[in-house]
């Protein structure tokens, strides 16, 4: 698509792109229902950042000119009442078509909108009069933001799904919530002054020392001075991105990859380059060729029981990845939420365990397996890298909650390993039960690999399945799952879905799968209930 852009002043580039596309829509060159190029593809063709194109598409969506269909892409908005609006782009009511989402006849799957434009985000506009809301807050629609992509909140959609396969989490009945809660209650009763104290920017020293011992048993030999406590690994990823990544910096990551990381790097304006995977993880041979053409600033990986695919990077590839980082003098962010959740034998040693030059920023989640509400992780790094991350964290939160850190400390110190042994057994039982049901009831053509650990099954569906439509139909039965497109840069249409087998009781999970499989079969054959 040829668009002339002025880079010497005048209108901002996103507005230039938005107006050019709007004029094509108004003139009929782009017809209602036509699919627009992906953010990534248009950004490459125009030699601009994906942030710039995302802002242009967001502007077109605000004006009612395009429809973003979750899992499919961006399409020219259906003409209202069968007629295309031919007024000059950017005049009158700004090109808005009123309730165009409703006129288009769909809420487009899991996009955060409920019926008639009502928000599905808890506490947002629920039960409010739409006209009254627009009148009061309408000015906000044109208030510029720098959020080019925001898919992560969809993973945490608080819909009333009875069978919630979408969130990679562990059922509360398997977590040590009572023990941690009792420790917190005792701290409040005996040491209430903790609630008046700011924590150390790096985190409580005693907790860091306990975590140091934990990492040492897993091959990572560092002192407590090399650790920082964060509010989950998500904060760690964000701190690395805001500290070291700027517009146009090359960030390599697996394809598919963790949605939260994609969102963060997109927000920094990074040029994200996806590297295909196989059963042994990221294809380092392909990564090497890509890096020869575009040197990396950062490589993000979840090498163990990868989210969402479940694949584990081989030891050989871990070594080669570290050698690559050394040769390009770049950072590796090793995100490790699942390595303790193995079902048979421990996974290969972490990349960080082989790092001698400080190229790896290692992130270990504890809240995922202990108490997600406590938001607890550690970031391991050395030298000037850690100092700069600590400075960024200080500016971000003035130090994490000291009370929570001290509440989880005794459990990590004394009971973590014994607890993890039982948790692994319980999760393995759930995984095997889910796999057995899939083997018995999944339609022919559905593919998956049994993971060696972690929380998820990654299903490849036949290309004939319309994943967005499958999601909508499943939602009506109270079933939710994660559509694979949110795990890709640029949100391409994909034929993958992620199912978490750990979020529910086993019987509830079984009922949900037994409801989902007939829907999947109907989607493959084109029949409807």
């Amino acid at each position: 698509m040829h668009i002339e852009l002025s880079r010497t002043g005048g209108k901002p580039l996103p507005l230039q792109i938005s107006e050019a596309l709007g004029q094509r829509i108004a003139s009929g060159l782009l017809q209602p229902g036509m699919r627009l190029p992906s953010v990534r593809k248009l950004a490459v063709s125009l030699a601009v950042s994906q942030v710039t194109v995302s802002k242009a598409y967001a502007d077109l969506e605000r004006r009612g000119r395009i429809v973003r269909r979750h899992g499919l892409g961006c399409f020219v908005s259906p003409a209202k009442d069968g007629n295309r609006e031919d007024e000059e782009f950017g005049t009158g009511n700004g090109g808005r078509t009123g309730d165009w989402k409703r006129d288009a006849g769909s809420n487009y799957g899991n996009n955060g909108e409920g019926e008639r434009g009502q928000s599905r985000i808890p506490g947002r506009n629920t039960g409010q009069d739409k006209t009254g809301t627009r009148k009061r807050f309408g000015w906000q629609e044109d208030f510029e933001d720098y959020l080019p992509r925001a898919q992560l909140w969809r993973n945490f959609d608080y819909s009333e799904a009875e069978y919630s396969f979408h969130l990679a989490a562990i059922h509360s009945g398997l977590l040590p919530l009572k023990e941690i809660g009792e420790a917190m209650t005792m701290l409040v009763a005996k040491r209430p002054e903790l609630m008046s104290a700011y924590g150390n920017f790096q985190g409580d020293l005693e907790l860091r020392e306990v975590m140091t011992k934990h990492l040492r048993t897993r091959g990572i030999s560092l002192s407590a001075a090399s650790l920082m406590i964060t509010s989950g690994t998500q904060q760690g990823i964000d701190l690395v991105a805001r500290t070291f990544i700027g517009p146009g910096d090359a960030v390599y990551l697996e394809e598919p990859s963790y949605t939260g990381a994609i969102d963060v790097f997109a927000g920094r304006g990074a040029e994200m380059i996806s590297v295909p995977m196989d059963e042994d993880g990221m294809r380092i041979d392909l990564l090497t060729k890509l890096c020869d053409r575009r040197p990396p600033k950062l490589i993000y990986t979840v090498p163990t029981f990868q989210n969402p695919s479940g694949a584990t990077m081989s030891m050989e590839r871990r070594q080669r990845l570290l050698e690559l980082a050394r040769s390009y003098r770049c950072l590796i962010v090793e995100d490790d939420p699942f390595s303790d959740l193995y079902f048979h034998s421990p996974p290969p040693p972490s990349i960080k365990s082989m790092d001698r030059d400080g190229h790896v920023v290692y992130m270990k989640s504890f809240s995922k397996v202990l108490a997600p509400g406590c938001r607890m992780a550690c970031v391991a790094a050395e030298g000037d890298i850690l100092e700069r991350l600590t400075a960024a964290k200080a500016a971000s939160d003035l130090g994490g909650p000291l009370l929570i850190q001290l509440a989880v400390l005794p459990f990590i110190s004394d009971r973590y390993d014994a607890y993890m042994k039982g948790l692994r057994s319980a999760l393995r039982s759930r995984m095997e039960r889910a796999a057995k049901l899939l083997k018995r009831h999944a339609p022919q053509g559905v593919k998956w690999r049994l993971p060696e650990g972690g929380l998820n099954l990654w299903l490849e569906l036949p290309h004939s399945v319309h994943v967005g439509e499958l999601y909508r139909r499943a939602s009506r039965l109270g079933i939710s799952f994660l559509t694979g497109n949110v795990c890709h840069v640029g949100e391409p249409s994909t034929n993958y879905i992620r199912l978490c087998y750990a979020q529910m009781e086993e019987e509830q999970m079984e009922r949900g799968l037994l409801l989902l499989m007939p829907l999947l079969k109907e989607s493959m054959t084109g029949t409807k209930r």
Side-chain angles (χ1 to χ4, degrees), residues 354-396:
M354 301 177 281
D355 180 28
R356 299 294 176 266
D357 308 307
H359 285 281
V360 180
V361 178
Y362 175 83
M363 302 183 182
K364 175 69 176 176
S365 172
F366 287 91
S367 57
K368 177 80 68 179
V369 297
L370 295 181
C374 287
R375 311 303 306 128
M376 184 66 59
C378 72
V379 173
E382 297 113 310
D384 192 50
I385 295 295
L386 182 66
E387 290 180 8
R388 284 185 269 179
L389 290 175
T390 304
K393 187 175 186 299
S396 173

Side-chain angles (χ1 to χ4, degrees), residues 4 11 100 154 222 255 260 263 272 283 346-347 377 381 433 454 478:
E4 293 290 338
K11 295 181 179 179
W100 56 268
R154 292 172 181 164
L222 296 172
E255 185 178 42
D263 280 4
M272 288 182 286
R283 290 276 306 275
R433 188 164 181 173

Side-chain angles (χ1 to χ4, degrees), residues 102-124:
R102 185 178 66 221
D103 297 330
S106 173
N107 66 350
Y108 304 124
N110 184 21
N111 65 355
E113 295 289 337
E115 295 298 321
R116 303 180 67 84
Q118 293 266 343
S119 172
R120 293 174 59 195
I121 306 175
R124 181 182 294 181

Side-chain angles (χ1 to χ4, degrees), residues 473-509:
R473 296 179 66 191
S475 296
R476 298 187 191 111
L477 296 180
I479 303 170
S480 63
F481 55 79
L482 191 73
T483 56
N485 63 292
V486 301
C487 301
H488 289 258
V489 174
E491 303 176 47
S493 177
T494 71
N495 60 318
Y496 286 86
I497 64 173
R498 192 192 72 184
L499 301 177
C500 175
Y501 46 76
Q503 170 74 352
M504 294 169 279
E505 293 280 7
E506 289 190 68
E507 293 76 14
Q508 186 181 15
M509 176 193 68

Side-chain angles (χ1 to χ4, degrees), residues 75-140:
F75 297 80
V76 177
S77 180
K80 190 173 184 180
D81 298 328
N83 298 310
R84 186 177 66 252
E85 296 182 347
D86 293 322
E87 72 275 6
E88 183 179 356
F89 184 75
T91 62
N93 68 346
R96 296 184 179 86
T97 60
D99 292 338
W100 56 268
K101 287 185 181 180
R102 185 178 66 221
D103 297 330
S106 173
N107 66 350
Y108 304 124
N110 184 21
N111 65 355
E113 295 289 337
E115 295 298 321
R116 303 180 67 84
Q118 293 266 343
S119 172
R120 293 174 59 195
I121 306 175
R124 181 182 294 181
N125 299 340
T126 304
Q128 292 184 12
D129 175 72
K130 199 172 184 182
T131 303
T133 299
R134 281 181 175 165
K135 185 176 181 180
R136 292 176 58 199
F137 305 116
W139 67 271
Q140 296 178 359

Side-chain angles (χ1 to χ4, degrees), residues 13-51:
L13 294 182
L15 185 57
Q16 293 182 45
I17 298 171
S18 175
E19 289 185 345
L21 292 173
Q23 290 166 3
R24 284 167 169 75
I25 294 171
S27 65
L29 293 176
L30 294 175
Q31 293 288 327
M34 287 182 64
R35 182 176 181 174
L36 297 178
S38 69
V39 170
R40 183 181 182 186
K41 184 175 182 180
L42 186 56
V44 170
S45 67
L46 298 178
V48 299
S49 73
Q50 294 184 46
V51 174

